[in-house]
Amino acid sequence: MDYKKRFYVIAAFLGIYICYIWYNSFQTVIIDGPKYRAKVEKLKIDSVPIPQLRGFIFADGHELLAGSLPEYDVFLDFKSTTIPPKDKTKSMNIPPDTIAYYFSDNGPGAQALHEIDPSKSAAEHARLVRNAYSQRQPRFKILHAVPYLDYRKLRTQMPYFKKARYQNGLISEERAHRYRPYGETRMGAATIGSVYAKKDKDGISGRGKGGIEEAMDSVLRGKPGLGFKQIIRRHQTDITVKQPVNGANVHTTINVEMQDILDQALCKRILELRAHGGWAAIIECKSGKIKAISNLERISDTECAEDHNHLFEDLVDPGSTFKTVSYMIMLDDEKITPETKVNTGNYPDARGEFIYHGQHIRDDHPVGEVTADEAMVQSSNISIAKLTTQAYEKDPQRYLDAIERINLLSDRVLSDSDKAEIKQVGYLRKLELRKEFPKAQAARHRQMTGRSWSKVSLAQISYGYETQIPGIYILQFYNAIANDGKMMRPYIVDYIEKDGEVIWKQEPTVINPKICSDKTLAAVRHALEGVVEHGTAAGSAWLPGAKSKKVKIAGKTGTAQRFNQETKNYSGAGHNVSFAGYFPADDPQYCGIVVIDARPGGNFGRPGGGYMAGPVFKSFAEQIWALKCNKTLKDITPDTLHALEPKVKKGPLAVTKSVLDALDLDTLKLEESIELSNPANNKVPDVRGMGASDALFKLESLGLRVNIVGKGAVASMSMAPGTACKRGNNITITLR
């Protein structure tokens, strides 16, 4: 066959092949297309969201406050067809003798389940598994909410479960669990917030619930991905269409060390007083950063737990802590001086009261005739009410305008419901947006234009009533006093970070650069120091207060009746007692407020902020000042109980000298130096005078079993030094 004929033959075959391909394509796509598409749809399950990782919340030292960790629900599939059974029917692939061995009452599989979930005995776990196997259950849940490490151990180390999936029928479902390492009910839990477990309309769980979790939800939450599951050759395969976007991390201003100190001090005082609860917060004076915040309710005689963020959410009468506002206004308006005299009419032998338009105003203790400065120190209701009404009775609006001028109540944007209520009752607020605390309440300060204004309102407001204020306003006001008159906006979100990069940072915000003149500020600070040094917060030998010998504290006490929601008056609901102040008084670094909820039935007599709330502030201030101060031991005056220089226990000379150098102490007359390693020839060494850790190391190096009694330095030994000993011998050392 010549070249031309062969070419035609090949071209004919190619043409036939091309036509065959076109025919089959037409058959598949057009004629059989609906059948094949139906098969694909039958194999494909509806698209499912792919969970994203919620961002973490950190403290100022990068300690984790809240994070998402995986947890697992674990199932056994007893109707698996992943391996074709011999009889070609949908029967189980796991042999009965395998189940009988691993899940007998004491079988290794049952023991493994009991180790992971000890709420059921091994026999109970085994019985449930055998029953599910006999009923051919396809998804029998054997474990719920298993932490990652336990799940990893189950899959890699435990009998039966470490087999391949197609040999044990194991199925797991992973989900994110929100974890707070410092406690679910303490350490600022209300401020941090929580996360809803219930899934939303997108099928993803994890929206923020309260606190930072809710306020920063859009930042923390991220975006879910999209995928679907498909069965290919009897295997379920996950196919990702869109990758999830993980949330960003929120770094807060909270200091874990300060938070722990405040939390413990507040809980201790609540339990001592058997109070209903209490809350406290500390901010950094210069910046307004919230360093610690605690909101506790007593739930038993030995335990407290966080409830909600009282600092921002409670509308309460501030009581006597508001007297400082009135005192500052009158001084700055030159209506009074610190030396202005006022006669309360209230003496030890003639208890009087101030009657203003029918309102009876009393003092808890007699103060007689005092200066305005001393009236603040003794927290006299009569004095402040008399001075305020004398100064502003003819023009109350001047007094109200001064409160607005201080910007004491500037904070948030009002909701529509707030606006409607304030219009009705005659309150007035000018506010700025704050996003960190979405449930924060707007302060309500009564105005003359409102129908609730009365002839006694001026006097009532002057010493802390008829004004409902969340504690944050009082805290930022006292912080302004500590901060040389500059009012800072308190905040808790420091910066937001994503993939190691800071994408947003909050800077300190000045609400009011100067709340009053320097002269007024000096007089106010002098009065607040007097409150703690010899006034209502000083305390006594038998009654605690806020006064400290270690750090100078200034502040003001407050005692206000709680509003009774049932009777709609101030009768029978107890008191809120408080202390607001700062330290050290001569160079303020931190400002704080402590409030105790003193409802009837507690372990206290007459409620008072000085002895009820003051000790919490004192305890916090002393501990923080001890941690933050830069003084060496040589700079600190010795007290009457302890010598300046500590007794040094017997130990390695070089190590002891290193410690003394770090403490900036001169080399002391040291005890006999010893070598901790290489004990001599199986003879009991002399460890008397040593600390427990060194003595334990020395003795256990010989193989001795050591029992320790007491604390301090080793005073005696049950085996005499130099005695021959063998490994395993028991020896008791007594410490004193």
Side-chain angles (χ1 to χ4, degrees):
M1 186 181 290
D2 59 19
Y3 172 79
K4 187 177 292 186
K5 287 182 179 180
R6 275 185 279 176
F7 175 80
Y8 286 132
V9 170
I10 293 171
F13 274 112
L14 287 173
I16 293 171
Y17 184 67
I18 291 171
C19 290
Y20 177 76
I21 292 174
W22 276 102
Y23 171 76
N24 279 278
S25 299
F26 179 81
Q27 179 80 16
T28 301
V29 175
I30 304 300
I31 298 176
D32 296 332
K35 179 178 69 175
Y36 288 122
R37 281 191 287 271
K39 286 185 177 182
V40 170
E41 290 301 320
K42 187 176 181 181
L43 293 176
K44 188 176 70 173
I45 301 174
D46 291 340
S47 61
V48 293
I50 302 174
Q52 75 278 34
L53 182 65
R54 188 174 178 85
F56 289 15
I57 300 175
F58 294 98
D60 67 350
H62 304 288
E63 300 91 346
L64 180 65
L65 295 178
S68 295
L69 297 177
E71 65 179 17
Y72 301 82
D73 286 343
V74 184
F75 304 84
L76 285 177
D77 182 3
F78 288 140
K79 207 169 185 178
S80 172
T81 57
T82 53
I83 299 176
K86 294 178 181 179
D87 60 2
K88 305 300 182 180
T89 62
K90 293 184 178 181
S91 62
M92 287 179 294
N93 303 314
I94 305 168
D97 56 347
T98 299
I99 297 296
Y101 169 71
Y102 283 104
F103 295 100
S104 63
D105 285 353
N106 252 342
Q111 292 288 351
L113 291 178
H114 173 66
E115 183 178 338
I116 300 296
D117 177 16
S119 66
K120 298 185 185 73
S121 66
E124 288 178 295
H125 279 294
R127 178 173 52 79
L128 292 171
V129 171
R130 292 196 305 266
N131 184 57
Y133 181 82
S134 67
Q135 295 178 9
R136 308 298 194 259
Q137 292 189 25
R139 281 175 64 86
F140 171 65
K141 184 184 289 188
I142 55 174
L143 293 169
H144 173 68
V146 179
Y148 171 74
L149 292 179
D150 287 344
Y151 176 74
R152 181 184 176 90
K153 182 179 180 181
L154 180 78
R155 293 290 288 116
T156 60
Q157 300 177 27
M158 292 188 165
Y160 183 80
F161 300 103
K162 64 182 179 181
K163 294 182 179 184
R165 174 188 168 185
Y166 306 119
Q167 296 176 350
N168 61 14
L170 196 69
I171 302 172
S172 63
E173 289 184 355
E174 177 184 336
R175 63 172 174 270
H177 167 65
R178 203 60 172 172
Y179 172 65
R180 290 198 293 261
Y182 291 100
E184 297 296 316
T185 61
R186 293 287 292 275
M187 289 291 287
T191 303
I192 297 168
S194 58
V195 174
Y196 284 105
K198 185 177 180 181
K199 292 184 178 181
D200 61 15
K201 62 181 180 181
D202 298 324
I204 300 295
S205 60
R207 285 198 181 276
K209 178 184 178 183
I212 297 170
E213 294 278 19
E214 179 179 345
M216 308 303 294
D217 184 69
S218 61
V219 172
L220 289 163
R221 194 164 187 257
K223 296 180 179 179
L226 185 65
F228 63 87
K229 300 180 185 294
Q230 194 170 38
I231 307 297
I232 300 175
R233 294 183 181 180
R234 301 191 181 186
H235 290 276
Q236 182 173 284
T237 303
D238 294 330
I239 300 176
T240 300
V241 177
K242 183 175 67 174
Q243 291 289 347
V245 178
N246 294 331
N249 299 324
V250 173
H251 292 255
T252 71
T253 61
I254 294 292
N255 180 279
V256 169
E257 199 167 38
M258 291 186 182
Q259 180 67 49
D260 184 44
I261 291 171
L262 184 65
D263 201 59
Q264 296 297 332
L266 180 61
C267 181
K268 178 176 180 288
R269 194 61 179 148
I270 290 171
L271 295 178
E272 288 172 347
L273 297 168
R274 289 184 55 82
H276 178 79
W279 54 268
I282 301 293
I283 64 176
E284 193 175 72
C285 289
K286 305 299 181 186
S287 64
K289 292 180 179 180
I290 298 175
K291 308 306 292 182
I293 178 171
S294 187
N295 301 274
L296 299 179
E297 180 181 3
R298 181 172 61 86
I299 58 176
S300 73
D301 289 342
T302 59
E303 191 177 0
C304 295
E306 290 257 340
D307 48 2
H308 68 274
N309 199 332
H310 297 267
L311 181 69
F312 290 88
E313 297 175 20
D314 281 9
L315 282 168
V316 295
D317 295 287
S320 295
T321 54
F322 199 81
K323 290 174 183 173
T324 309
V325 179
S326 299
Y327 185 56
M328 176 181 290
I329 290 171
M330 289 186 286
L331 287 172
D332 217 37
D333 220 5
E334 297 184 347
K335 297 291 185 178
I336 62 170
T337 69
E339 293 75 32
T340 298
K341 292 286 186 72
V342 56
N343 189 345
T344 66
N346 192 9
Y347 294 87
D349 56 348
R351 299 299 298 272
E353 58 185 14
F354 175 42
I355 302 176
Y356 183 70
H357 291 291
Q359 178 73 30
H360 293 252
I361 301 173
R362 304 177 179 86
D363 283 333
D364 285 338
H365 52 281
V367 295
E369 185 179 28
V370 292
T371 63
D373 178 84
E374 191 63 19
M376 282 291 297
V377 170
Q378 297 300 328
S379 195
S380 170
N381 295 338
I382 294 175
S383 298
I384 298 300
K386 272 191 171 183
L387 291 171
T388 305
T389 53
Q390 289 171 4
Y392 297 104
E393 186 173 31
K394 294 181 179 179
D395 188 8
Q397 191 60 49
R398 183 182 178 94
Y399 172 80
L400 299 176
D401 290 345
I403 295 176
E404 292 295 323
R405 188 170 62 248
I406 291 173
N407 275 354
L408 168 65
L409 307 179
S410 294
D411 188 43
R412 289 180 50 83
V413 167
L414 291 172
S415 67
D416 290 338
S417 60
D418 283 332
K419 290 177 181 177
E421 183 175 359
I422 287 172
K423 183 178 181 181
Q424 178 183 1
V425 299
Y427 291 114
L428 177 66
R429 283 291 292 105
K430 179 183 178 183
L431 304 164
E432 297 174 359
L433 180 64
R434 177 181 300 173
K435 293 183 178 179
E436 293 107 312
F437 304 95
K439 293 182 180 178
Q441 295 292 313
R444 297 173 182 176
H445 178 47
R446 197 159 291 177
Q447 295 295 304
M448 293 184 65
T449 53
R451 64 187 182 189
S452 57
W453 182 266
S454 70
K455 293 181 178 179
V456 300
S457 290
L458 178 62
Q460 291 279 81
I461 292 171
S462 71
Y463 62 95
Y465 286 94
E466 293 198 20
T467 301
Q468 283 70 49
I469 303 180
I472 185 62
Y473 301 102
I474 295 297
L475 178 57
Q476 71 185 19
F477 171 70
Y478 278 85
N479 187 67
I481 296 171
N483 193 32
D484 295 326
K486 182 186 291 186
M487 183 177 286
M488 309 300 296
R489 181 177 69 81
Y491 66 98
I492 200 167
V493 176
D494 193 9
Y495 64 93
I496 298 170
E497 161 260 320
K498 180 75 180 294
D499 299 326
E501 180 182 353
V502 176
I503 59 177
W504 179 85
K505 181 171 177 58
Q506 183 161 202
E507 298 296 335
T509 301
V510 178
I511 294 176
N512 187 349
K514 201 70 174 176
I515 61 173
C516 64
S517 68
D518 290 337
K519 182 180 178 181
T520 296
L521 186 65
V524 170
R525 291 179 65 163
H526 179 271
L528 298 183
E529 290 175 22
V531 170
V532 177
E533 291 301 313
H534 58 274
T536 54
S540 62
W542 61 88
L543 202 62
K547 185 177 181 179
S548 169
K549 294 180 180 179
K550 298 178 176 64
V551 56
K552 190 174 182 181
I553 297 170
K556 182 72 185 72
T557 57
T559 304
Q561 289 180 296
R562 298 182 70 256
F563 187 74
N564 192 325
Q565 294 294 340
E566 295 182 0
T567 62
K568 302 301 180 183
N569 58 42
Y570 289 93
S571 176
H575 296 75
N576 287 324
V577 295
S578 58
F579 179 85
Y582 50 87
F583 68 93
D586 49 359
D587 182 23
Q589 301 297 315
Y590 299 101
C591 182
I593 185 170
V594 179
V595 178
I596 301 292
D597 186 342
R599 302 185 191 185
N603 185 27
F604 45 84
R606 183 185 294 273
Y611 86 91
M612 294 178 72
V616 178
F617 193 92
K618 172 187 174 183
S619 176
F620 177 86
E622 289 182 341
Q623 292 183 70
I624 292 304
W625 191 240
L627 289 170
K628 301 295 182 181
C629 72
N630 297 317
K631 295 182 179 180
T632 67
L633 289 179
K634 286 289 187 183
D635 298 323
I636 301 174
T637 304
D639 60 28
T640 57
L641 298 177
H642 305 284
L644 173 63
E645 296 175 342
K647 182 180 184 297
V648 179
K649 298 172 185 175
K650 185 163 63 174
L653 184 62
V655 175
T656 306
K657 283 185 175 180
S658 176
V659 173
L660 294 175
D661 290 342
L663 293 173
D664 195 23
L665 291 175
D666 297 331
T667 301
L668 306 176
K669 182 181 179 181
L670 301 175
E671 298 284 348
E672 170 189 353
S673 177
I674 64 165
E675 179 61 44
L676 290 181
S677 59
N678 302 321
N681 300 323
N682 295 329
K683 291 186 178 180
V684 177
D686 186 1
V687 296
R688 289 171 298 185
M690 296 172 60
S693 58
D694 287 344
L696 192 65
F697 179 84
K698 186 81 171 176
L699 295 171
E700 287 189 340
S701 297
L702 289 169
L704 296 174
R705 296 177 179 177
V706 185
N707 299 314
I708 301 176
V709 179
K711 58 183 179 179
V714 179
S716 62
M717 308 161 53
S718 63
M719 298 176 67
T723 304
C725 63
K726 296 180 180 179
R727 298 186 68 84
N729 285 159
N730 291 314
I731 182 173
T732 299
I733 57 175
T734 302
L735 283 62
R736 293 192 183 91

